[in-house]
Structure formats: structure tokens, C-alpha cells
Amino acid sequence: EPEVTQTPSHQVTQMGQEVILRCVPISNHLYFYWYRQILGQKVEFLVSFYNNEISEKSEIFDDQFSVERPDGSNFTLKIRSTKLEDSAMYFCASSVVLAKNIQYFGAGTRLSVL
Amino acid sequence: KQEVTQIPAALSVPEGENLVLNCSFTDSAIYNLQWFRQDPGKGLTSLLLIQSSQREQTSGRLNASLDKSSGRSTLYIAASQPGDSATYLCAVQGNQFYFGTGTSLTVIP
């Protein structure tokens, strides 16, 4: 069964460093998403992406964050200068269309900022 | 801003029991509502999606209902099994996506 894959599974970084989290969505999906879940808290929407541009973003997704689809398969989330409070589980998801189809989630990348 | 609440926060039941998980949301202007399952340290698995025009969806032992006007959804699990033990999340989609706090379910053999 097709699945969303995320790499790495765990990323450790120093505060102030840039990190790139990588995702390979399901191949025929057109919408891509990033979420985060701080330990013990709700899953929070960060951004949705369609047709090579951001379609929606939350207030969390500030100038420190960016997304890119650098090629036909990868979808990346970049955090420019990590803060301690960026430590969280980051989930990528994809769906065929925006509102009518279920979202398929990856297993997540645990980001630890020291 | 949309607020999604789930009750109870935790639930423990003996195997075989039927159970209901509740989700409420404050803004009825949604496209759909989805129920997910999250296992410890894992991603989210979509269980059921209900479009805003629908009242319920069923998959196997799971049945989800949606009352958009009152801002409520329920997830009914029939004949619970130990393998159902997980955290169950509901999420509503408007312009953005909002998740609830989750219900941690333990099914005791």
C-alpha cells in the first residue's frame, strides 16, 4: 500500500541551526501538508501546499519556516534558525484533493533542539 | 478561531464492550471531519472521513456520526478489542485543519 515516508526519523540539532525535514508524499497526491505535535499537546496545522505554492498557513508558520517541492517527489520543511520551542514531532501528510479525500500521514520526524 | 474538544480524555474498558468517543467543535463552517488513530511514537492513521453534507460513515466495527449544526461528532467502536488501544483524534477542516486533544483508549483483555 502506498505510504508517506519521512526522513530522518529523529533529528538532533543545536539552537540556531537550520534543519530540513524531508517527506515523500504518495505519488498521485496533489496536496501536501506539514503538522507538528509538541510532546503532550495537540497536533497543530502548519501549512498546506498545492501546485507549487502555499495554499494555507497557520500563525505558527512564520518567516522561520519555509516549504519546497524541489523535485517531483520530495516535499521539504525548512526551519532557518531553530529555537528550543521548535522541538516537536513533525508530520507530513498528503491527499489527492483538498477537502474530499482523507489525508495520509507519515510516521513523523522527531526534532530535538538542544 | 476553531476549537476542537474531545471527551473523555482517557477511557479504559474491558474487551468486548461497545464504546463512544465524543468530539465537539465551535465553528460549524467545516468541509469535513476526520477521525484518526495514533499509536505511541507513530504517525496518524485515518479511520473515517465525514463530508460536511454527510451524517455518518461506517467502516467495519467503527461508525462515526456528524451533527454539524450542533458542532458534534461521535465515534462508536463496537465489540472493542485490545488492538484498539490507542489515542483517537478528531480533526475538522475549514480553511485550516484543527485537531482535538484526543482520547486515550485502553481495552483490557
Side-chain angles (χ1 to χ4, degrees):
Chain A
E1 183 174 324
E3 60 181 15
V4 175
T5 56
Q6 290 186 244
T7 55
S9 57
H10 190 193
Q11 174 89 46
V12 181
T13 189
Q14 296 290 326
M15 190 170 58
Q17 295 295 304
E18 174 184 286
V19 294
I20 297 176
L21 308 183
R22 303 180 191 280
C23 169
V24 179
I26 294 174
S27 61
N28 65 330
H29 287 189
L30 302 178
Y31 283 86
F32 315 116
Y33 316 86
W34 282 102
Y35 297 84
R36 78 172 186 191
Q37 186 176 32
I38 295 171
L39 188 63
Q41 297 187 23
K42 289 186 182 185
V43 176
E44 300 172 293
F45 169 75
L46 294 178
V47 66
S48 58
F49 190 86
Y50 170 72
N51 199 26
N52 282 321
E53 60 183 29
I54 291 173
S55 51
E56 289 289 341
K57 61 182 181 178
S58 72
E59 54 275 12
I60 302 168
F61 194 88
D62 61 22
D63 292 343
Q64 289 287 88
F65 292 90
S66 62
V67 288
E68 192 180 27
R69 189 153 163 82
D71 53 42
S73 59
N74 289 285
F75 178 52
T76 62
L77 174 69
K78 182 193 291 187
I79 308 175
R80 287 191 180 81
S81 178
T82 51
K83 308 183 188 72
L84 294 176
E85 55 264 36
D86 293 327
S87 294
M89 196 76 164
Y90 287 81
F91 293 108
C92 173
S94 68
S95 63
V96 177
V97 294
L98 181 59
K100 295 188 185 299
N101 293 84
I102 64 175
Q103 293 183 37
Y104 292 84
F105 278 70
T109 292
R110 180 168 299 284
L111 177 65
S112 300
V113 182
L114 306 179
Chain B
K1 181 184 170 186
Q2 179 78 267
E3 293 288 338
V4 183
T5 305
Q6 291 184 246
I7 53 172
L11 182 62
S12 185
V13 299
E15 182 177 1
E17 195 161 294
N18 302 326
L19 56 102
V20 175
L21 308 181
N22 297 289
C23 172
S24 61
F25 48 97
T26 54
D27 185 349
S28 61
I30 62 170
Y31 294 122
N32 62 55
L33 182 145
Q34 244 177 289
W35 282 93
F36 292 88
R37 170 187 173 133
Q38 185 174 28
D39 293 282
K42 301 280 182 64
L44 282 69
T45 301
S46 181
L47 299 172
L48 290 163
L49 178 143
I50 311 177
Q51 301 292 346
S52 62
S53 57
Q54 297 175 323
R55 298 285 290 184
E56 67 177 333
Q57 283 286 331
T58 298
S59 176
R61 295 182 293 110
L62 306 179
N63 175 276
S65 68
L66 174 64
D67 184 342
K68 205 172 72 153
S69 61
S70 67
R72 295 177 191 274
S73 176
T74 61
L75 178 67
Y76 174 82
I77 302 177
S80 57
Q81 303 170 357
D84 295 331
S85 299
T87 296
Y88 290 81
L89 304 174
C90 73
V92 297
Q93 181 183 350
N95 289 331
Q96 295 184 20
F97 299 82
Y98 297 93
F99 278 78
T101 45
T103 294
S104 177
L105 173 66
T106 302
V107 181
I108 304 164

